[in-house]
Coordinates of all heavy atoms in Angstrom, one line a residue:
M1 N 27.6 -27.1 -53.0 CA 28.1 -26.1 -52.0 C 27.2 -25.0 -51.7 O 27.2 -24.6 -50.7 CB 29.5 -25.9 -52.5 CG 30.3 -25.2 -51.5 SD 31.2 -26.5 -50.7 CE 32.4 -25.5 -49.9
A2 N 26.7 -24.5 -52.8 CA 25.8 -23.3 -52.6 C 24.6 -23.6 -51.9 O 24.1 -22.9 -51.1 CB 25.5 -22.8 -54.1
S3 N 24.2 -24.9 -52.0 CA 23.0 -25.4 -51.2 C 23.3 -25.3 -49.7 O 22.5 -25.0 -49.0 CB 22.7 -26.7 -51.8 OG 21.9 -27.5 -50.8
T4 N 24.5 -25.7 -49.3 CA 24.9 -25.8 -47.9 C 25.0 -24.4 -47.3 O 24.5 -24.1 -46.3 CB 26.3 -26.4 -47.7 OG1 26.3 -27.8 -48.4 CG2 26.7 -26.5 -46.3
H5 N 25.6 -23.4 -48.1 CA 25.6 -22.1 -47.7 C 24.3 -21.4 -47.5 O 23.9 -20.8 -46.5 CB 26.5 -21.2 -48.7 CG 26.6 -19.8 -48.4 ND1 27.2 -19.4 -47.2 CD2 26.1 -18.7 -48.9 CE1 27.2 -18.0 -47.1 NE2 26.5 -17.6 -48.2
T6 N 23.3 -21.8 -48.5 CA 22.0 -21.3 -48.5 C 21.3 -21.9 -47.2 O 20.5 -21.1 -46.5 CB 21.2 -21.5 -49.7 OG1 21.9 -21.1 -50.8 CG2 19.8 -21.0 -49.7
T7 N 21.5 -23.1 -46.9 CA 20.9 -23.8 -45.8 C 21.3 -23.2 -44.5 O 20.7 -22.9 -43.6 CB 21.1 -25.3 -45.8 OG1 20.7 -25.9 -47.1 CG2 20.4 -26.0 -44.7
K8 N 22.6 -23.0 -44.4 CA 23.3 -22.3 -43.2 C 22.7 -21.0 -43.0 O 22.4 -20.5 -41.8 CB 24.7 -22.3 -43.3 CG 25.5 -23.6 -43.0 CD 26.9 -23.5 -43.2 CE 27.6 -24.8 -43.0 NZ 29.0 -24.7 -43.1
R9 N 22.6 -20.2 -44.1 CA 22.0 -18.8 -43.9 C 20.6 -18.9 -43.5 O 20.2 -18.1 -42.7 CB 22.2 -18.1 -45.3 CG 21.7 -16.7 -45.4 CD 22.6 -15.8 -44.5 NE 22.1 -14.5 -44.6 CZ 22.4 -13.6 -43.7 NH1 23.2 -13.8 -42.8 NH2 22.0 -12.4 -43.9
K10 N 19.8 -19.8 -44.0 CA 18.4 -19.9 -43.7 C 18.3 -20.4 -42.2 O 17.5 -19.7 -41.5 CB 17.8 -20.9 -44.6 CG 16.2 -21.0 -44.3 CD 15.5 -21.9 -45.3 CE 14.2 -21.9 -45.4 NZ 13.4 -22.6 -44.4
T11 N 19.1 -21.3 -41.8 CA 19.1 -21.6 -40.4 C 19.5 -20.5 -39.5 O 18.8 -20.3 -38.4 CB 20.1 -22.8 -40.1 OG1 19.7 -23.9 -41.0 CG2 20.0 -23.3 -38.7
A12 N 20.4 -19.6 -39.9 CA 20.9 -18.5 -39.0 C 19.7 -17.5 -39.0 O 19.4 -17.0 -38.0 CB 22.1 -17.8 -39.6
D13 N 19.0 -17.3 -40.1 CA 17.9 -16.4 -40.2 C 16.7 -17.0 -39.3 O 16.1 -16.2 -38.6 CB 17.4 -16.2 -41.6 CG 18.3 -15.4 -42.4 OD1 19.2 -14.8 -41.9 OD2 18.2 -15.4 -43.7
D14 N 16.5 -18.2 -39.3 CA 15.4 -18.8 -38.5 C 15.8 -18.6 -37.0 O 14.9 -18.4 -36.2 CB 15.3 -20.3 -38.8 CG 14.7 -20.6 -40.1 OD1 14.1 -19.6 -40.7 OD2 14.7 -21.7 -40.7
H15 N 17.1 -18.8 -36.6 CA 17.5 -18.6 -35.2 C 17.2 -17.1 -34.9 O 16.8 -16.8 -33.7 CB 18.9 -19.0 -35.0 CG 19.1 -20.5 -35.0 ND1 18.5 -21.4 -34.1 CD2 19.8 -21.3 -35.8 CE1 19.0 -22.5 -34.3 NE2 19.6 -22.6 -35.4
A16 N 17.6 -16.2 -35.7 CA 17.5 -14.8 -35.4 C 16.0 -14.5 -35.2 O 15.7 -13.7 -34.3 CB 18.1 -14.0 -36.5
M17 N 15.2 -15.0 -36.1 CA 13.8 -14.8 -35.9 C 13.2 -15.4 -34.6 O 12.5 -14.8 -34.0 CB 12.9 -15.3 -37.2 CG 13.3 -14.4 -38.4 SD 12.5 -15.2 -39.9 CE 10.7 -15.2 -39.5
A18 N 13.6 -16.6 -34.2 CA 13.2 -17.1 -33.1 C 13.7 -16.3 -31.8 O 12.8 -16.2 -31.0 CB 13.7 -18.6 -33.0
E19 N 14.8 -15.9 -31.8 CA 15.4 -15.1 -30.8 C 14.6 -13.7 -30.7 O 14.3 -13.3 -29.6 CB 16.9 -14.7 -31.0 CG 17.8 -15.9 -30.7 CD 19.3 -15.6 -31.0 OE1 19.5 -14.4 -31.3 OE2 20.0 -16.5 -30.9
A20 N 14.3 -13.2 -31.8 CA 13.5 -12.0 -31.8 C 12.1 -12.2 -31.3 O 11.6 -11.4 -30.4 CB 13.3 -11.4 -33.3
R21 N 11.4 -13.3 -31.6 CA 10.1 -13.7 -31.0 C 10.2 -14.0 -29.5 O 9.4 -13.4 -28.7 CB 9.6 -14.9 -31.6 CG 9.0 -14.6 -33.1 CD 8.1 -15.8 -33.6 NE 8.9 -17.0 -33.6 CZ 9.6 -17.5 -34.6 NH1 9.7 -16.8 -35.8 NH2 10.2 -18.7 -34.6
V22 N 11.3 -14.7 -29.0 CA 11.5 -14.8 -27.7 C 11.7 -13.6 -26.9 O 11.1 -13.2 -25.9 CB 12.6 -15.9 -27.4 CG1 13.1 -15.9 -25.9 CG2 12.3 -17.2 -27.9
S23 N 12.5 -12.7 -27.5 CA 12.8 -11.4 -26.9 C 11.5 -10.6 -26.8 O 11.2 -9.9 -25.7 CB 13.8 -10.6 -27.8 OG 14.0 -9.3 -27.3
D24 N 10.7 -10.5 -27.9 CA 9.4 -9.8 -27.8 C 8.5 -10.4 -26.8 O 7.8 -9.7 -26.1 CB 8.8 -9.9 -29.2 CG 9.4 -9.0 -30.2 OD1 10.2 -8.2 -29.9 OD2 9.1 -9.2 -31.4
T25 N 8.4 -11.8 -26.7 CA 7.6 -12.4 -25.8 C 8.0 -12.0 -24.3 O 7.2 -11.7 -23.4 CB 7.6 -13.9 -25.9 OG1 7.1 -14.2 -27.2 CG2 6.7 -14.6 -24.9
L26 N 9.3 -12.2 -24.1 CA 9.9 -11.8 -22.8 C 9.6 -10.2 -22.4 O 9.2 -10.0 -21.3 CB 11.4 -12.1 -22.7 CG 12.0 -11.8 -21.5 CD1 11.4 -12.7 -20.3 CD2 13.6 -12.1 -21.5
H27 N 9.7 -9.4 -23.4 CA 9.4 -8.0 -23.2 C 8.0 -7.8 -22.8 O 7.7 -7.0 -21.8 CB 9.8 -7.2 -24.4 CG 9.6 -5.6 -24.3 ND1 8.5 -5.1 -24.6 CD2 10.4 -4.8 -23.8 CE1 8.5 -3.7 -24.4 NE2 9.7 -3.5 -23.9
D28 N 7.2 -8.4 -23.6 CA 5.6 -8.3 -23.2 C 5.4 -8.9 -21.8 O 4.6 -8.2 -21.2 CB 4.9 -9.1 -24.2 CG 4.9 -8.4 -25.6 OD1 5.3 -7.3 -25.8 OD2 4.6 -9.1 -26.7
A29 N 6.0 -9.9 -21.4 CA 5.7 -10.5 -20.1 C 6.3 -9.5 -19.1 O 5.6 -9.3 -18.0 CB 6.4 -11.9 -20.1
V30 N 7.4 -9.0 -19.2 CA 7.9 -7.9 -18.3 C 7.1 -6.8 -18.2 O 6.8 -6.3 -17.0 CB 9.4 -7.7 -18.6 CG1 9.9 -6.5 -17.7 CG2 10.3 -8.9 -18.4
T31 N 6.6 -6.3 -19.3 CA 5.8 -5.1 -19.3 C 4.4 -5.4 -18.6 O 3.9 -4.7 -17.8 CB 5.5 -4.7 -20.8 OG1 6.7 -4.3 -21.3 CG2 4.6 -3.4 -20.7
H32 N 3.9 -6.6 -18.9 CA 2.7 -7.0 -18.2 C 2.9 -7.0 -16.6 O 2.1 -6.7 -15.9 CB 2.2 -8.3 -18.8 CG 0.9 -8.8 -18.2 ND1 -0.4 -8.2 -18.3 CD2 0.7 -9.8 -17.3 CE1 -1.2 -8.7 -17.6 NE2 -0.7 -9.8 -17.1
A33 N 4.0 -7.7 -16.2 CA 4.3 -7.8 -14.8 C 4.4 -6.5 -14.2 O 3.9 -6.2 -13.1 CB 5.5 -8.7 -14.6
Q34 N 5.1 -5.5 -14.8 CA 5.3 -4.1 -14.3 C 3.9 -3.4 -14.1 O 3.7 -2.8 -13.1 CB 6.1 -3.4 -15.2 CG 7.7 -3.6 -15.1 CD 8.4 -3.0 -16.2 OE1 7.9 -2.6 -17.2 NE2 9.7 -2.8 -15.9
E35 N 3.1 -3.6 -15.1 CA 1.7 -3.0 -15.0 C 0.9 -3.6 -13.9 O 0.2 -2.9 -13.1 CB 1.0 -3.2 -16.4 CG 1.5 -2.3 -17.5 CD 1.0 -2.7 -19.0 OE1 0.1 -3.6 -19.0 OE2 1.3 -2.0 -19.8
S36 N 1.0 -4.9 -13.7 CA 0.2 -5.6 -12.7 C 0.7 -5.2 -11.3 O -0.1 -4.9 -10.4 CB 0.5 -7.1 -12.7 OG -0.1 -7.6 -14.0
V37 N 2.1 -5.0 -11.1 CA 2.6 -4.5 -9.8 C 2.2 -3.1 -9.7 O 1.8 -2.7 -8.5 CB 4.2 -4.6 -9.8 CG1 4.8 -3.9 -8.7 CG2 4.6 -6.1 -9.8
Q38 N 2.2 -2.2 -10.6 CA 1.7 -0.9 -10.5 C 0.3 -0.8 -10.2 O -0.1 0.0 -9.3 CB 2.1 -0.2 -11.8 CG 1.7 1.4 -11.6 CD 2.6 2.1 -10.7 OE1 3.9 1.8 -10.7 NE2 2.1 2.9 -10.0
D39 N -0.4 -1.7 -10.7 CA -2.0 -1.6 -10.4 C -2.3 -2.1 -9.0 O -2.9 -1.6 -8.3 CB -2.7 -2.6 -11.4 CG -2.8 -2.0 -12.8 OD1 -2.6 -0.8 -13.0 OD2 -3.1 -2.9 -13.7
A40 N -1.4 -3.1 -8.6 CA -1.5 -3.5 -7.2 C -1.2 -2.5 -6.3 O -1.8 -2.3 -5.2 CB -0.7 -4.9 -6.9
A41 N -0.1 -1.8 -6.5 CA 0.4 -0.7 -5.7 C -0.6 0.4 -5.6 O -0.8 1.0 -4.5 CB 1.8 -0.1 -6.1
N42 N -1.3 0.8 -6.7 CA -2.3 1.7 -6.7 C -3.4 1.4 -5.8 O -4.1 2.2 -5.2 CB -2.7 2.2 -8.1 CG -1.5 2.8 -9.0 OD1 -0.7 3.5 -8.3 ND2 -1.6 2.8 -10.2
S43 N -3.8 0.1 -6.0 CA -4.9 -0.4 -5.2 C -4.7 -0.3 -3.7 O -5.5 0.1 -2.9 CB -5.3 -1.8 -5.6 OG -6.3 -2.4 -4.9
V44 N -3.5 -0.8 -3.3 CA -3.1 -0.7 -1.9 C -3.1 0.8 -1.4 O -3.5 1.1 -0.3 CB -1.8 -1.3 -1.7 CG1 -1.2 -1.0 -0.3 CG2 -1.9 -2.8 -1.9
R45 N -2.5 1.7 -2.2 CA -2.5 3.1 -1.8 C -3.9 3.6 -1.6 O -4.2 4.3 -0.7 CB -1.7 3.9 -2.8 CG -1.6 5.3 -2.5 CD -1.2 6.3 -3.6 NE -2.2 6.2 -4.6 CZ -2.1 6.2 -5.9 NH1 -0.9 6.0 -6.4 NH2 -3.2 6.3 -6.7
D46 N -4.8 3.4 -2.6 CA -6.2 3.8 -2.6 C -6.9 3.3 -1.3 O -7.7 4.1 -0.7 CB -6.9 3.4 -3.9 CG -6.4 4.2 -5.1 OD1 -5.6 5.2 -4.9 OD2 -6.7 3.8 -6.2
T47 N -6.7 2.1 -1.1 CA -7.3 1.4 0.1 C -6.8 2.1 1.3 O -7.6 2.4 2.2 CB -7.0 -0.1 0.1 OG1 -7.5 -0.7 -1.0 CG2 -7.7 -0.6 1.4
F48 N -5.4 2.3 1.5 CA -4.9 3.0 2.6 C -5.5 4.3 2.8 O -5.7 4.9 3.9 CB -3.4 3.0 2.6 CG -2.8 3.7 3.7 CD1 -2.6 3.1 4.9 CD2 -2.2 5.0 3.5 CE1 -2.0 3.8 6.0 CE2 -1.6 5.7 4.6 CZ -1.5 5.0 5.8
V49 N -5.5 5.2 1.7 CA -6.0 6.5 1.7 C -7.4 6.6 2.3 O -7.8 7.4 3.1 CB -5.7 7.3 0.4 CG1 -6.5 8.5 0.4 CG2 -4.3 7.5 0.1
A50 N -8.2 5.7 1.7 CA -9.6 5.7 2.1 C -9.8 5.3 3.6 O -10.6 5.9 4.3 CB -10.4 4.6 1.3
A51 N -9.0 4.3 4.1 CA -9.0 4.1 5.5 C -8.4 5.1 6.4 O -9.1 5.4 7.5 CB -8.2 2.7 5.7
A52 N -7.5 5.8 6.0 CA -7.0 7.0 6.7 C -8.0 8.1 6.8 O -8.2 8.7 7.8 CB -5.6 7.4 6.0
D53 N -8.7 8.3 5.7 CA -9.7 9.4 5.7 C -10.8 9.0 6.6 O -11.4 9.9 7.4 CB -10.2 9.6 4.3 CG -9.3 10.3 3.3 OD1 -8.3 10.9 3.8 OD2 -9.5 10.2 2.1
R54 N -11.2 7.7 6.6 CA -12.4 7.3 7.5 C -11.9 7.4 9.0 O -12.7 7.8 9.8 CB -12.8 5.9 7.1 CG -13.7 5.8 6.0 CD -14.3 4.3 5.8 NE -13.3 3.2 6.0 CZ -12.6 2.7 5.0 NH1 -12.8 3.1 3.8 NH2 -11.7 1.8 5.1
T55 N -10.7 7.1 9.2 CA -10.1 7.1 10.6 C -10.1 8.7 11.1 O -10.5 9.0 12.2 CB -8.7 6.5 10.7 OG1 -8.8 5.1 10.3 CG2 -8.2 6.6 12.1
I56 N -9.6 9.5 10.2 CA -9.5 10.9 10.6 C -10.9 11.5 10.8 O -11.1 12.2 11.7 CB -8.8 11.7 9.5 CG1 -7.5 11.5 9.4 CG2 -9.1 13.2 9.6 CD1 -6.6 11.9 8.2
D57 N -11.9 11.2 10.0 CA -13.3 11.6 10.2 C -13.8 11.1 11.6 O -14.5 11.9 12.3 CB -14.2 11.1 9.1 CG -14.0 11.9 7.8 OD1 -13.3 12.9 7.8 OD2 -14.4 11.3 6.7
R58 N -13.6 9.8 11.9 CA -14.0 9.2 13.2 C -13.3 9.9 14.3 O -14.0 10.2 15.3 CB -13.8 7.7 13.2 CG -14.2 7.1 14.4 CD -15.7 7.0 14.4 NE -16.2 6.4 15.7 CZ -17.2 6.7 16.3 NH1 -17.9 7.7 16.0 NH2 -17.5 6.1 17.4
I59 N -12.1 10.2 14.2 CA -11.4 10.9 15.3 C -12.0 12.3 15.5 O -12.2 12.7 16.7 CB -9.8 10.9 15.1 CG1 -9.3 9.5 15.2 CG2 -9.2 12.0 16.0 CD1 -7.8 9.4 14.8
Q60 N -12.2 13.0 14.4 CA -12.8 14.4 14.6 C -14.2 14.3 15.2 O -14.4 15.1 16.0 CB -12.8 15.0 13.2 CG -11.3 15.4 12.7 CD -11.4 15.9 11.3 OE1 -12.3 15.7 10.5 NE2 -10.3 16.6 10.9
T61 N -14.9 13.3 14.8 CA -16.3 13.2 15.5 C -16.1 12.9 16.9 O -16.9 13.4 17.7 CB -17.0 12.0 14.7 OG1 -17.1 12.3 13.4 CG2 -18.5 11.8 15.4
L62 N -15.2 12.0 17.3 CA -15.1 11.6 18.7 C -14.6 12.8 19.5 O -15.0 13.2 20.6 CB -14.1 10.5 18.8 CG -14.6 9.1 18.5 CD1 -13.5 8.1 18.5 CD2 -15.8 8.7 19.3
Q63 N -13.7 13.7 18.8 CA -13.1 14.9 19.5 C -14.3 15.8 19.8 O -14.4 16.4 20.8 CB -12.1 15.5 18.8 CG -11.5 16.7 19.5 CD -10.3 17.4 18.6 OE1 -10.1 16.9 17.4 NE2 -9.7 18.4 19.1
G64 N -15.1 16.1 18.8 CA -16.3 16.9 18.9 C -17.3 16.5 19.9 O -17.7 17.3 20.9
D65 N -17.5 15.1 20.1 CA -18.4 14.6 21.1 C -17.8 14.8 22.4 O -18.5 15.2 23.4 CB -18.6 13.1 20.8 CG -19.5 12.8 19.6 OD1 -20.0 13.8 19.0 OD2 -19.5 11.6 19.1
F66 N -16.5 14.6 22.6 CA -15.7 14.8 23.9 C -15.8 16.2 24.3 O -16.2 16.5 25.6 CB -14.3 14.3 23.8 CG -13.6 14.5 25.1 CD1 -13.8 13.5 26.1 CD2 -12.7 15.5 25.2 CE1 -13.1 13.7 27.2 CE2 -12.0 15.6 26.4 CZ -12.1 14.7 27.4
D67 N -15.7 17.0 23.3 CA -15.6 18.6 23.7 C -17.0 19.0 24.1 O -17.2 19.7 25.2 CB -15.2 19.4 22.5 CG -13.7 19.3 22.2 OD1 -12.9 18.7 23.1 OD2 -13.3 19.7 21.1
S68 N -18.0 18.4 23.5 CA -19.4 18.8 23.8 C -19.8 18.3 25.3 O -20.4 18.9 26.1 CB -20.4 18.3 22.9 OG -20.2 18.7 21.6
A69 N -19.3 17.0 25.6 CA -19.6 16.5 26.9 C -18.9 17.3 27.9 O -19.5 17.5 29.0 CB -19.2 15.0 26.9
V70 N -17.7 17.7 27.7 CA -17.0 18.5 28.7 C -17.6 19.9 28.9 O -17.7 20.2 30.1 CB -15.5 18.7 28.3 CG1 -14.7 19.8 29.2 CG2 -14.8 17.3 28.4
R71 N -18.1 20.5 27.8 CA -18.8 21.7 28.0 C -20.2 21.6 28.8 O -20.5 22.5 29.6 CB -19.1 22.4 26.6 CG -17.8 22.9 26.0 CD -18.1 23.8 24.7 NE -16.9 24.3 24.2 CZ -16.3 23.8 23.2 NH1 -16.7 22.7 22.6 NH2 -15.2 24.4 22.8
R72 N -20.8 20.5 28.6 CA -22.1 20.3 29.3 C -21.9 20.0 30.7 O -22.7 20.4 31.6 CB -22.8 19.1 28.6 CG -23.5 19.5 27.4 CD -24.5 18.4 26.8 NE -23.9 17.0 26.9 CZ -23.3 16.4 25.8 NH1 -23.2 17.1 24.7 NH2 -22.8 15.2 26.0
N73 N -20.8 19.3 31.1 CA -20.5 18.9 32.5 C -19.0 19.1 32.8 O -18.3 18.1 32.9 CB -20.8 17.3 32.6 CG -22.3 17.0 32.4 OD1 -23.2 17.7 32.9 ND2 -22.5 16.0 31.5
P74 N -18.6 20.3 33.1 CA -17.2 20.7 33.3 C -16.8 20.1 34.6 O -15.6 19.5 34.8 CB -17.2 22.1 33.3 CG -18.4 22.6 33.5 CD -19.4 21.6 32.8
T75 N -17.6 20.0 35.8 CA -17.3 19.5 37.0 C -17.1 18.0 36.9 O -16.1 17.5 37.4 CB -18.4 19.8 38.0 OG1 -18.6 21.1 38.0 CG2 -18.0 19.3 39.4
L76 N -18.0 17.3 36.2 CA -17.8 15.8 36.0 C -16.5 15.6 35.3 O -15.8 14.5 35.6 CB -19.0 15.3 35.3 CG -19.0 13.7 35.0 CD1 -19.0 13.1 36.4 CD2 -20.2 13.4 34.3
A77 N -16.2 16.4 34.3 CA -14.9 16.2 33.5 C -13.7 16.3 34.3 O -12.7 15.5 34.3 CB -14.9 17.1 32.3
V78 N -13.7 17.3 35.3 CA -12.6 17.6 36.1 C -12.4 16.5 37.1 O -11.3 16.0 37.4 CB -12.6 18.9 36.8 CG1 -11.7 19.1 37.9 CG2 -12.6 20.1 35.8
L79 N -13.5 16.0 37.7 CA -13.5 14.9 38.6 C -13.1 13.6 37.9 O -12.3 12.8 38.6 CB -14.9 14.7 39.3 CG -15.3 15.8 40.3 CD1 -16.7 15.6 40.7 CD2 -14.4 15.9 41.5
G80 N -13.5 13.4 36.7 CA -13.0 12.2 35.9 C -11.5 12.3 35.7 O -10.8 11.2 35.9
A81 N -11.1 13.4 35.3 CA -9.6 13.4 35.1 C -8.8 13.3 36.4 O -7.8 12.7 36.5 CB -9.4 14.9 34.5
L82 N -9.3 13.8 37.4 CA -8.7 13.6 38.8 C -8.7 12.1 39.2 O -7.6 11.7 39.6 CB -9.5 14.5 39.9 CG -8.9 14.4 41.3 CD1 -7.4 15.0 41.3 CD2 -9.8 15.1 42.3
G83 N -9.7 11.5 38.9 CA -9.8 10.0 39.2 C -8.9 9.3 38.4 O -8.1 8.3 39.0
V84 N -8.8 9.6 37.1 CA -7.8 8.9 36.3 C -6.4 9.1 36.8 O -5.6 8.2 36.8 CB -8.0 9.2 34.8 CG1 -6.8 8.8 33.9 CG2 -9.4 8.8 34.2
G85 N -6.1 10.3 37.2 CA -4.8 10.7 37.7 C -4.4 10.0 38.9 O -3.3 9.4 39.1
V86 N -5.5 9.8 39.8 CA -5.1 9.1 41.0 C -4.9 7.6 40.7 O -3.9 7.1 41.3 CB -6.3 9.3 42.0 CG1 -6.3 8.3 43.2 CG2 -6.4 10.6 42.5
V87 N -5.7 7.0 39.9 CA -5.5 5.6 39.6 C -4.2 5.3 38.9 O -3.5 4.4 39.2 CB -6.7 5.1 38.6 CG1 -6.4 3.7 38.1 CG2 -8.0 5.1 39.4
L88 N -3.8 6.2 38.0 CA -2.5 6.1 37.3 C -1.4 6.3 38.4 O -0.4 5.6 38.3 CB -2.3 7.1 36.2 CG -3.1 6.8 34.8 CD1 -3.0 7.9 33.9 CD2 -2.6 5.5 34.3
G89 N -1.5 7.3 39.2 CA -0.5 7.5 40.2 C -0.3 6.3 41.2 O 0.9 5.9 41.4
L90 N -1.4 5.7 41.5 CA -1.3 4.5 42.3 C -0.7 3.3 41.6 O 0.1 2.6 42.2 CB -2.7 4.0 42.9 CG -3.2 5.1 43.9 CD1 -4.7 4.7 44.3 CD2 -2.4 5.1 45.2
A91 N -0.9 3.2 40.3 CA -0.6 2.1 39.6 C 0.9 2.2 39.2 O 1.7 1.3 39.2 CB -1.3 2.0 38.4
L92 N 1.4 3.5 39.1 CA 2.8 3.7 38.7 C 3.7 3.9 39.9 O 5.0 3.9 39.7 CB 2.9 4.9 37.7 CG 2.1 4.7 36.5 CD1 2.2 6.0 35.7 CD2 2.7 3.6 35.7
T93 N 3.2 4.1 41.1 CA 4.0 4.2 42.3 C 4.5 2.9 42.9 O 3.7 2.0 43.0 CB 3.2 5.0 43.4 OG1 2.7 6.2 42.8 CG2 4.1 5.2 44.6
K94 N 5.8 2.8 43.0 CA 6.3 1.6 43.5 C 6.1 1.6 45.1 O 6.4 2.5 45.8 CB 7.8 1.4 43.2 CG 8.1 1.2 41.8 CD 9.5 1.1 41.5 CE 9.7 0.8 40.1 NZ 11.2 0.6 39.7
R95 N 5.7 0.5 45.6 CA 5.4 0.3 47.0 C 6.7 -0.3 47.6 O 7.2 -1.4 47.1 CB 4.2 -0.5 47.3 CG 2.9 0.3 46.8 CD 1.7 -0.2 47.4 NE 0.7 0.5 46.7 CZ -0.3 1.3 47.3 NH1 -0.2 1.3 48.7 NH2 -1.2 1.8 46.6
S96 N 7.1 0.1 48.8 CA 8.2 -0.5 49.5 C 7.9 -1.7 50.4 O 6.9 -1.7 51.0 CB 9.0 0.6 50.4 OG 9.1 1.8 49.8

């Protein structure tokens, strides 16, 4: 009878150890998945920030180029704006 009790106790201990191993493995897998998701999010954020910085630099360059062109040729700039206004006005006006 003592042998049966010892066997049951050993089996219970084996199950507890197996559950602990499974729990540890699952915890490690979840931790690894969380780290992978965080790394991916950081990579996306870094890519987006770099693209935004490049876009801002390009827009500032274009604005500077435009300002310089208007300063060099103010009459041409006014005539160009007038032409764009006329074209938009004609395009947006409904004809009866």
